[in-house]
Amino acid sequence: MNETNEIKEFGDIKSVLDYLEQIKDDLHNKTLSEQIKFKDEVKNRHDKRQVQMLLGRLEDQFKIRRALSYLVTALFAIVSFAIGSLTNFFVSNLPDTELKSYTAPVIIFLFYILALAGWIYLAYAESNRLRKISRYKRLIQECFDEMPEKKYFRRRV
């Protein structure tokens, strides 16, 4: 949020998700009545064209997030290669002792646990982000569907 806790004007929005979180945060954990209040707030602040723009931006964010999920797989392929290389390097440089036969499995296991913890963290963070985007997308779509078409125009005198 801004330092003054003010909600941004429509033209000043850089991230649609951040803007919607300023209106109502943690909406995926709220009741239906709180979600209806959020929709009413959005409908009071914006016209149908602006809501359609917000919806389009949320759809884009959702598609981009889903498309970039392959990067996590590539990251762990690189990490696996690095683990294998480092293990080979460390084991080949150890003196011939009984410790050498136990070192490689221990190193591999520790790196495996570290990589698994990283994967769990990244998967959890990404699934939360996708869940949040999809919830806001659904509510903005409902706002868009509920808003009437303007059939009249005010004339300025």
Side-chain angles (χ1 to χ4, degrees), residues 76 109-125:
F76 285 104
F109 180 73
L110 290 176
F111 276 119
Y112 173 75
I113 295 297
L114 182 66
L116 182 65
W119 179 80
I120 289 171
Y121 174 76
L122 288 175
Y124 179 75

Side-chain angles (χ1 to χ4, degrees), residues 130-142:
L130 286 173
R131 187 178 307 123
K132 190 181 292 188
I133 291 171
S134 66
R135 177 60 53 98
Y136 280 110
K137 180 182 162 198
R138 165 72 62 192
L139 291 172
I140 295 298
Q141 179 66 51
E142 290 174 4

Side-chain angles (χ1 to χ4, degrees), residues 13-68:
I13 299 172
K14 291 183 181 179
S15 170
V16 172
L17 186 61
D18 292 342
Y19 170 73
L20 294 174
E21 285 178 333
Q22 284 180 340
I23 295 174
K24 189 72 135 177
D25 195 18
D26 290 333
L27 204 54
H28 57 285
N29 295 328
K30 302 292 184 190
T31 63
L32 289 176
S33 62
E34 290 174 311
Q35 292 175 11
I36 290 170
K37 288 178 187 174
F38 169 79
K39 290 189 321 184
D40 292 339
E41 180 73 24
V42 170
K43 289 188 279 188
N44 289 335
R45 289 174 182 260
H46 304 290
D47 61 12
K48 192 164 184 164
R49 183 186 60 80
Q50 290 175 335
V51 171
Q52 186 177 17
M53 288 175 67
L54 292 173
L55 180 62
R57 300 308 191 279
L58 282 176
E59 288 174 350
D60 291 345
Q61 281 184 347
F62 188 76
K63 288 177 184 175
I64 289 170
R65 284 286 187 187
R66 290 189 66 192
L68 291 178

Side-chain angles (χ1 to χ4, degrees), residues 56-145:
R57 300 308 191 279
L58 282 176
E59 288 174 350
D60 291 345
Q61 281 184 347
F62 188 76
K63 288 177 184 175
I64 289 170
R65 284 286 187 187
R66 290 189 66 192
L68 291 178
S69 65
Y70 75 90
L71 291 176
V72 174
T73 306
L75 170 70
F76 285 104
I78 293 168
V79 167
S80 298
F81 177 74
I83 289 171
S85 299
L86 286 173
T87 304
N88 186 27
F89 174 75
F90 286 129
V91 170
S92 65
N93 289 333
L94 285 175
D96 288 331
T97 62
E98 193 174 298
L99 179 66
K100 186 173 184 175
S101 63
Y102 296 112
T103 305
V106 170
I107 291 173
I108 291 171
F109 180 73
L110 290 176
F111 276 119
Y112 173 75
I113 295 297
L114 182 66
L116 182 65
W119 179 80
I120 289 171
Y121 174 76
L122 288 175
Y124 179 75
E126 191 61 25
S127 69
N128 276 344
R129 183 99 170 147
L130 286 173
R131 187 178 307 123
K132 190 181 292 188
I133 291 171
S134 66
R135 177 60 53 98
Y136 280 110
K137 180 182 162 198
R138 165 72 62 192
L139 291 172
I140 295 298
Q141 179 66 51
E142 290 174 4
C143 286
F144 181 73
D145 294 341

